[in-house]
Amino acid sequence: MDYLKSLNEPQYEGAVNTEGPTMIIAGAGSGKTRVLTYRIAYLIEKKGVDPFNILALTFTNKAAKEMRDRIEKVVGTEARNLWMGTFHSVFARILRAEADKLGYPSNFTIYDTDDSKQLIKSIVKELGLDDKIYKPNVVFNRISGAKNRLISWREYINNPIFRADDESNMKPELGKIYKIYSERCFKAGAMDFDDLLFNTNVLFKQHIDVLNKYQQRFHYVMVDEFQDTNISQYLITKKLSAVRQNICVVGDDAQSIYAFRGADIQNILNFEKDYPDLRVIKLEQNYRSTKTIVNAANAIISKNRAQLKKNVWTDNDEGSLIELLKANSDNEEGKLVASSIFEEKMQNQLQNSDFAILYRTNSQSRAIEEALRRMNIKYKIVGGLSFYQRKEIKDLMAYLRFAINHNDEQSLRRIINYPKRGIGDTSVDKIIVAANDHDISLWEVLTNISSFLPGRAANAVMDFVTLIKRFKHDIETKDAYEAANLIAKGSGILKELYEDKTVEGLSRYENVQELLNAVKEYVDDPEKEDKSLGAFLQEIALITGVDNDKDDGEEKVTLMTIHMAKGLEFKNVYIVGLEEDLFPSQMMLSSRADLEEERRLFYVAVTRAERKLFLSYALSRYRFGRLKNCEPSRFIDEIDPMFIKVSKKYGKVESSGLSGDDYAKNFINGMRKTTTSRPVAKTSTYKPSADFEPSDTSGLQAGMKVEHPKFGYGMVTEMDESGANRKAKVHFDDFGEKTLLLSFAKLKIHSN
DNA sequence: GTAGTAGATGTTTTT
DNA sequence: CATCTACTAC
């Protein structure tokens, strides 16, 4: 038990108190994974628990794999038998085994978000509804939200509150769409991500014997990142541990960043009520970061209203100040960051892998990438458009999926006319309508197509059916690799891509080959028992971009979204694009709770840094083909200026406006004006006059009336000249109180 | 009814 | 900037 000696007191408590309900509140960088790892190792080694009886749930496959590796290092290969994985993968596995009890085939397809949205889109179209009002995104989120709160379509339709809510949002048909969506998924033998959890709940509720079986199996249940669980997930773990009560959850309310996915911070805040004899352990010592970073992070999160009491502190050095870089444009921002990395590397003997660049949205990576390439700094992007989301991969996967599950509507839509075989949209719509109107399966329509379509189209469909039957035969008689190869060739996808000699076409062809290689690797892996194509598809259905990152051993700077940065740490971290409306995102600013989530997101990002933290923002950004004005993020103001050093070295803002890159872009776009302003928030009717000319703000004082090009008229309530930047608090008529950095704010002084 | 093309149109985060 | 939509020609 040597490893236990390396733990501090609360960590040790967390590792050895294995019986009864336990909640570990783990501040950022406090060694939570370590505690969880040793806890499991302790159970196996000291308590002699069979790994088969331990269930450990994580949020990403990566986290699961990492923890399994770490446990394996301590207890050896026995750790392989642990039930460890994401909620989705563990319960998909259980659902496959019990699928018949819910009326699903065991080879059910898993729809990703893309599939779900496509299906919603076609349903909206079939119902003759306006897709400007019933936007697939919005409808999907509403359905997803309902499922995550375990509200079935029946309950949804019968609930007057939802109805009233939807009607006031001008979307009275949402319940109907939810119903049809659920029915169509069921008919297609498909579950979406939320169904994996929703249906597990249904399974455990309807089949007590099944629940009992798994209650008997899992003697110990552990949940990592508990703050990110939604109700649906929480209830599953609660049910599973109901008999033995050995449930241990680890989390940090300050790091809850998945509310948009239904994560409910109340889970962690209310856990105590559900388990009155709960043991609560707090890990408050941060081992990762400097005092400056810990304090700056605490400053941000302390502004949140709902939180658990916790005092994160560190013994580490004071460290250097947080550097604030400002740039004229996103391209210049990229250059600043790239050259800063270059210098840091030289001065402090660091490697590329010591650096991470974090951003709020994936699209922000472009400008950074360009700059890094120019300075010849190697980088890798984690996440983003994952391999399995690429069109060519999805196409081939659709063939594989459909050859296994002949009722998978979304896959059929993808492949029935790709490559082109003379079956147009109208025919496809007819097929799907026929299946629904006559209440028969898609495959039945396809195999009896002459009753539904006129001659020419029917012939094309019959050829397609023959093709699929052949593929099915291949799958049943050959291993996954051979079958996939035959399907790639037989479908015509390989030929289609091979003939495309453009750069993109070439890379698509290579990607398909890459997928085939992945199948081969799977088949050749001695640890995999089931070598069928079905088994392969099941395994990769829940794999995402992060898990897929291949390491070729080269030292690289890591680029990723802040969400992906969870659980990682780097010596130097750059957070870019710290602009109002981008981070915090304007889409999130509908309520105070949403702003709190953005703060937690920022907190997570900040605490990734071990030694140095760089914040940067651009005053204008080239997005979606347009150049837009930006303002520095309010988060900069929420950190005590004591911790910030405005970098003079890099942040040279020239008054002339645009850098070379942007001039070039403007020229190409034929734009004479340097910038166009961002659209104003919905509630506002304010439009700045065309000749808006900012005034000199040097004499600005509390009580003065001002005009802002975006926020309209307001009154200065407070001036702050103490820090590096002069700031003014302004109460705007339409937008409430804002803090403005005066060196950037475009203000017109009207009177006093 | 299908295929090809020119023009319009969004754009958050992840399992 | 890639994807979707509307239009035209077969």
Side-chain angles (χ1 to χ4, degrees), chain A residues 20 31 294 323 378 476 535 569 700:
Chain A
V294 169
E323 279 195 48
K378 293 246 168 15
E476 282 165 353
E569 57 186 58
L700 193 67

Side-chain angles (χ1 to χ4, degrees), chain A residues 403-418:
Chain A
I404 287 173
N405 174 2
H406 294 343
N407 290 310
D408 177 348
E409 180 180 328
Q410 288 313 301
S411 295
L412 178 72
R413 269 190 195 277
R414 257 181 181 278
I415 62 175
I416 193 166
N417 200 32
Y418 178 80

Side-chain angles (χ1 to χ4, degrees), chain A residues 585-693:
Chain A
S585 153
Q586 88 247 15
M587 310 206 67
M588 293 247 65
L589 290 183
S590 54
S591 74
R592 190 189 159 92
D594 289 340
L595 178 58
E596 295 198 355
E597 191 189 350
E598 291 286 291
R599 272 204 201 100
R600 291 195 292 265
L601 199 48
F602 187 62
Y603 175 84
V604 168
V606 168
T607 52
R608 293 308 100 185
E610 180 189 314
R611 287 172 35 190
K612 280 196 176 176
L613 181 62
F614 300 82
L615 308 179
S616 85
Y617 56 90
L619 295 171
S620 71
R621 182 166 288 276
Y622 190 78
R623 302 188 74 203
F624 312 128
R626 257 154 205 266
L627 206 57
K628 310 218 168 169
N629 278 336
C630 304
E631 291 161 64
S633 166
R634 67 173 77 188
F635 291 152
I636 296 172
D637 293 331
E638 291 190 353
I639 300 178
D640 191 325
M642 263 179 63
F643 300 130
I644 296 188
K645 167 177 144 201
V646 179
S647 175
K648 294 204 176 67
K649 202 173 3 169
Y650 304 114
K652 219 168 68 182
V653 178
E654 279 156 32
S655 55
S656 62
L658 302 173
S659 65
D661 278 352
D662 298 324
Y663 272 128
K665 261 175 212 150
N666 284 353
F667 184 75
I668 292 164
N669 287 352
M671 292 193 291
R672 279 274 121 180
K673 288 254 183 222
T674 53
T675 58
T676 53
S677 57
R678 204 179 261 279
V680 197
K682 276 178 233 144
T683 48
S684 165
T685 51
Y686 180 82
K687 281 204 185 82
S689 52
D691 56 354
F692 188 92
E693 215 30 76

Side-chain angles (χ1 to χ4, degrees), chain A residues 350-361:
Chain A
L350 296 170
Q351 294 181 300
N352 283 339
S353 57
D354 292 325
F355 296 87
I357 304 172
L358 309 181
Y359 34 79
R360 178 68 233 263
T361 72

Side-chain angles (χ1 to χ4, degrees), chain A residues 170-181:
Chain A
M170 310 294 285
K171 298 184 182 67
E173 304 294 337
L174 262 173
K176 195 170 173 189
I177 300 175
Y178 183 12
K179 171 175 185 269
I180 297 175
Y181 173 76

Side-chain angles (χ1 to χ4, degrees), chain A residues 580 631 686 708-713 732-735 738 740:
Chain A
E580 202 66 17
E631 291 161 64
Y686 180 82
H708 185 278
K710 186 168 139 189
F711 300 124
Y713 293 98
F732 288 104
D733 301 346
D734 291 331
F735 292 86
K738 300 260 174 193
L740 304 173

